[in-house]
Amino acid sequence: MSDFFEKVYDVVKQIPPGRVTTYGAIAKYLGTTGSARMVGWAMNAAGSHSEFVPAHRVVNRNGLLTGKHHFDTPNAMKELLEAEGFEFEEDQIINFKERFWDPAKELA
DNA sequence: AAGCTGACTATGG
DNA sequence: GCCATAGCCAGCT
């Protein structure tokens, strides 16, 4: 497994409960800015990871649950987030800006 | 081996 | 403000 995946998992696992981040933010933190797709791909492979990865806390830049279909059920992602106190308008996180957690800034 | 695809983002019309 | 285009890079067919 490449280090890239490990790093992605490491960051995602450090996302505080009740907070979310974006693919782009993680990509930037890893120095692979512009390759946000790879972060998404890493999430796709997260299921293969031995430890649990809170992939539901990673959304696109709009706070939209674009990856919901990659969970066991289409509602799993939304329900997990709702359980953490998130509010939604359709599949978009309300107050996303306030919930946003930037690894490059918060984690550093 | 070559081309397509994708859990993204930024930019331009 | 919404639609189209273009970089991005690794895995899959």
Side-chain angles (χ1 to χ4, degrees):
Chain A
M1 189 64 79
S2 64
D3 292 333
F4 178 77
F5 282 38
E6 292 298 327
K7 288 177 182 175
V8 172
Y9 300 148
D10 188 52
V11 173
V12 174
K13 283 188 292 186
Q14 292 184 65
I15 300 173
R19 294 294 191 86
V20 288
T21 192
T22 70
Y23 303 98
I26 294 173
K28 184 179 181 184
Y29 174 74
L30 296 179
T32 56
T33 316
S35 304
R37 291 177 192 247
M38 292 303 93
V39 178
W41 189 252
M43 290 297 96
N44 184 29
S48 303
H49 194 61
S50 53
E51 297 181 56
F52 171 70
V53 180
H56 59 280
R57 295 185 188 143
V58 185
V59 296
N60 76 349
R61 72 168 188 93
N62 293 311
L64 197 60
L65 307 187
T66 53
K68 56 182 293 183
H69 271 152
H70 289 262
F71 284 77
D72 294 334
T73 69
N75 289 339
M77 188 174 190
K78 185 176 178 181
E79 291 181 4
L80 283 168
L81 289 170
E82 286 181 331
E84 295 188 5
F86 290 93
E87 296 177 280
F88 294 90
E89 183 172 321
E90 294 304 313
D91 288 330
Q92 184 172 2
I93 297 174
I94 297 178
N95 296 329
F96 169 67
K97 182 182 175 185
E98 298 171 22
R99 297 286 199 166
F100 179 63
W101 180 83
D102 185 356
K105 199 172 182 179
E106 305 293 332
L107 187 58

